[in-house]
């Protein structure tokens, strides 16, 4: 059982972050926020995939204006991603956004920060300080210290700005494209502040490589109890980020949303098309929201024995399969009928 770091609880819309709340999975739209229809459509697809928080890029006042209409057409917490212009932050708060992602030191003079914080406090709008290892303050780059320490130093500077304005609805992220740097930064700051941490490895690349980097980085930190929300950043349809996020959490038994799918890696004993069957079963179960484990195994050796903990499963034989439940074989079926018989068992079993 992983013992999680205890952090201050905040609330973004109807989602609790930190404290004893479950680790939440979020993503970011890659649509033009000004395009309300396409943005709303993508938000709904993300929500259908299980996404719990959605971030939107706010590049200008037209995008900030669109937030109001997007809020009307969706019911998931929205986070406005803002850089440099404090007026966009104010406009988004006024238009009902649930949280901001910004660095207070980057939005101008102290009085401008005060205006944003004052309105955020009135509306109870949390602010995520989002530190990126590739875009730190110029003076920090000149310091002779490891990059992760520079990131932590930057975060602490921004935190102080908010705390000096009597604001504590804060969430922190420290992302780098380097997995070790990301891990070190989160480890360092975890013991320094009480605020919830949003985990992510940034700029990880496309699906295959990005999943590996994110799984190693996020998985390491989560296994140490660090992290309150996560985003798996991929150069891919953002729906894939949500699926990957829940897979990481499920692998550590931190969330049990949806089916836990397991399958063996195949070997020379396998007499069925296990790879094709496993992919088909996994795809068929991706929207089944049952807290069950389903196993697709290549042969009787790895079937009901090694997967006896599974709620349902199939073990391949010679052009046929043995359906089993909790380690007990139920019946033998032809290979062509395995998929339908397994799905029927899962759907109709009481």
């Amino acid at each position: 059982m992983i013992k999680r770091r205890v952090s201050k609880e905040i609330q973004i819309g109807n989602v609790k972050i930190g404290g004893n709340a479950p680790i939440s999975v979020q993503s970011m739209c890659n649509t033009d926020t000004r395009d309300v229809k396409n943005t709303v459509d993508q938000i709904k697809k993300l929500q259908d995939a299980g996404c719990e928080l959605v971030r939107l890029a706010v590049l200008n006042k037209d995008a900030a204006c669109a937030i109001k209409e997007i809020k009307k057409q969706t019911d998931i917490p929205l986070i406005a991603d803002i850089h440099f212009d404090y007026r966009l932050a104010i406009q988004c708060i006024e238009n009902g956004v649930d949280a901001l992602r910004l660095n207070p030191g980057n939005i101008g003079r102290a009085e401008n920060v005060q205006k944003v914080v004052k309105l955020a406090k009135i509306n109870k709008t949390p602010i995520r300080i989002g530190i990126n290892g590739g875009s730190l303050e110029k003076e920090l780059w000149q310091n002779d210290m490891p990059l992760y320490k520079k990131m932590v130093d930057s975060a602490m500077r921004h935190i102080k700005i908010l705390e000096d304005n009597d604001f504590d609805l804060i969430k922190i992220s420290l992302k780098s494209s380097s997995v070790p740097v990301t891990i070190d930064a989160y480890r360092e700051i975890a013991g320094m502040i009480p605020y919830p941490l949003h985990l992510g490895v940034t700029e990880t690349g496309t699906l295959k490589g990005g999943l590996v980097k994110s799984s190693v980085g996020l998985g390491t930190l989560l296994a140490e109890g660090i992290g309150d929300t996560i985003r798996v950043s991929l150069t891919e349809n953002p729906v894939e980020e949500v699926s990957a996020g829940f897979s990481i959490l499920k692998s550590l038994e931190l969330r049990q949303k949806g089916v836990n799918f397991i399958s063996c890696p195949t070997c020379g004993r396998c007499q069925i098309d296990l790879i094709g069957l496993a992919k088909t079963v996994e795809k068929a179960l991706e929207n089944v929201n049952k807290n069950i484990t389903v196993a697709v195994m290549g042969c009787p050796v790895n079937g009901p024995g090694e997967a006896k903990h599974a709620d349902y499963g199939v073990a391949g034989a010679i052009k046929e399969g043995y359906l089993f439940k909790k380690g007990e074989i139920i019946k033998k079926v032809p290979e062509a009928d395995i998929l339908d018989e397994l799905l029927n068992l899962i759907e109709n079993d009481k």
Side-chain angles (χ1 to χ4, degrees), residues 329-346:
I329 294 175
I330 296 174
K331 65 176 177 178
K332 182 171 65 175
V333 298
E335 181 177 4
D337 298 336
I338 289 176
L339 177 63
D340 290 340
E341 291 280 359
L342 178 61
L343 295 180
N344 185 61
L345 174 62
I346 294 169

Side-chain angles (χ1 to χ4, degrees), residues 119-275:
L119 190 58
K121 192 185 301 183
I122 292 171
N123 288 272
K124 297 182 179 179
T125 307
I127 294 174
R128 168 158 75 90
I129 294 171
I131 303 301
N132 190 304
S135 55
L136 299 175
E137 297 89 322
K138 289 182 180 179
E139 63 271 22
L140 281 175
W141 283 116
Q142 299 170 359
N143 290 349
D144 185 19
M145 66 173 80
L147 177 55
Y148 79 91
K149 286 189 175 290
K150 294 178 183 180
M151 293 167 64
V152 172
D153 192 352
S154 177
M156 296 305 291
R157 293 183 185 190
H158 292 296
I159 290 169
K160 187 175 186 303
I161 294 171
L162 294 183
E163 290 180 336
D164 287 348
N165 282 276
D166 193 30
F167 188 84
D168 66 352
L169 299 178
I170 301 171
K171 184 170 65 165
I172 309 295
S173 66
L174 303 100
K175 300 183 181 182
S176 169
S177 57
S178 164
V179 173
V181 169
T182 299
I183 291 171
D184 286 342
Y186 279 107
R187 282 174 173 166
E188 178 90 354
I189 206 168
M192 299 171 64
I193 59 171
Y195 305 115
L197 297 174
H198 168 68
L199 302 187
V201 180
T202 193
E203 299 152 6
T204 63
T206 53
L207 186 62
K208 187 175 180 180
L211 285 177
V212 173
K213 291 179 184 177
S214 292
S215 297
V216 172
L218 274 61
T220 298
L221 292 164
L222 290 166
E224 295 176 7
I226 298 171
D228 301 283
T229 73
I230 66 171
R231 179 196 174 190
V232 177
S233 298
L234 299 171
T235 309
E236 183 55 83
N237 185 325
V239 170
E240 297 288 352
E241 299 183 347
V242 179
S243 175
F246 277 109
S247 292
I248 291 171
L249 293 176
K250 282 195 289 187
S251 73
L252 291 166
E253 299 181 4
L254 289 165
R255 292 287 297 271
Q256 296 300 327
K257 184 180 179 67
V259 173
N260 178 34
F261 178 79
I262 63 174
S263 61
C264 70
T266 83
C267 70
R269 289 190 298 266
C270 186
Q271 300 292 312
I272 63 171
D273 176 17
L274 182 67
I275 295 174

